[in-house]
Amino acid sequence: MKRFYLVLMALLLSISTACANGSKGAKSSDKGELSDMKISIQITSDSGKFELTAALVDNSSAAAFYELLKKGPLTVDMHDYGNFEKVGSLGTRLPRNDTQITTTAGDIILYQGNQITIYYDTNSWNFTRLGKVDGVTQAELKKILGKGDVTAVFRHCKV
């Protein structure tokens, strides 16, 4: 158990550094290129409080989401859906760029223009990809997101 927490602390330190440094030129998992837009996500779950970073993709939906976050942090209450994602309402609509995709753990997806999801497993559907959580495995993400509802606070990172 101590080892898990040491690894988790090292991961959190590297994530906080990644937010400050940005991510240029990395490719997303199935299509499109990740942009220089970085965000942080503070997750509060039954497993504790965790700080993640993510790179947003290069599309108008992600750009609109990033601009929304520049105005201030966005707190989203998220619940589990289908044993593969946490989902919650954005409280606003963003432009959609839906394509048929298969998600992987760490994908941040816009659903129906007004719902945001963080995937910890796979699902195939017409979605708008917003970004990808940096540097966590599926097992780590499942542990971070826990079994019940979570609160996610999304913030933009200054690049």
Side-chain angles (χ1 to χ4, degrees), residues 28 34 36 52 60 63 66 79-80 83 112 115 139 148:
S28 70
L34 294 174
D36 291 339
L52 305 172
S60 62
Y66 190 73
H79 62 277
D80 198 77
N83 293 317
Q112 295 185 339
Q115 304 285 312

Side-chain angles (χ1 to χ4, degrees), residues 4 8 11-12 41-52 76-81 83-88 104-108 116-122 133 136-154:
F4 172 77
L8 189 57
L11 177 68
L12 292 175
I41 311 162
Q42 182 183 55
I43 301 288
T44 304
S45 70
D46 62 357
S47 298
K49 195 177 265 192
F50 304 90
E51 195 74 31
L52 305 172
V76 179
D77 293 321
M78 304 178 88
H79 62 277
D80 198 77
Y81 181 80
N83 293 317
F84 50 77
E85 71 181 55
K86 298 291 184 181
V87 61
T104 59
D107 281 340
I108 302 168
I116 192 164
T117 61
I118 300 173
Y119 277 83
Y120 58 87
D121 213 331
T122 60
V133 175
V136 293
T137 67
Q138 181 179 19
E140 290 167 335
L141 193 55
K142 281 183 176 182
K143 176 74 174 160
I144 289 167
L145 293 174
K147 295 183 193 269
D149 293 347
V150 303
T151 300
V153 180
F154 296 87

Side-chain angles (χ1 to χ4, degrees), residues 21-146:
N21 292 337
S23 172
K24 298 180 190 253
K27 295 284 183 187
S28 70
S29 59
D30 70 350
K31 66 193 288 189
E33 194 169 305
L34 294 174
S35 73
D36 291 339
M37 296 179 292
K38 298 287 284 183
I39 64 170
S40 68
I41 311 162
Q42 182 183 55
I43 301 288
T44 304
S45 70
D46 62 357
S47 298
K49 195 177 265 192
F50 304 90
E51 195 74 31
L52 305 172
T53 61
L56 298 182
V57 297
D58 189 11
N59 67 32
S60 62
S61 305
F65 184 55
Y66 190 73
E67 289 302 314
L68 178 67
L69 298 182
K70 280 183 167 182
K71 296 176 184 175
L74 176 65
T75 302
V76 179
D77 293 321
M78 304 178 88
H79 62 277
D80 198 77
Y81 181 80
N83 293 317
F84 50 77
E85 71 181 55
K86 298 291 184 181
V87 61
S89 175
L90 282 172
T92 190
R93 295 194 77 73
L94 298 176
R96 293 168 66 171
N97 288 282
D98 291 347
T99 58
Q100 179 68 33
I101 59 174
T102 298
T103 63
T104 59
D107 281 340
I108 302 168
I109 301 291
L110 177 67
Y111 178 65
Q112 295 185 339
N114 64 353
Q115 304 285 312
I116 192 164
T117 61
I118 300 173
Y119 277 83
Y120 58 87
D121 213 331
T122 60
N123 186 29
S124 294
W125 200 259
N126 283 326
F127 296 125
T128 298
R129 186 179 309 280
L130 292 177
K132 183 86 172 173
V133 175
D134 298 327
V136 293
T137 67
Q138 181 179 19
E140 290 167 335
L141 193 55
K142 281 183 176 182
K143 176 74 174 160
I144 289 167
L145 293 174

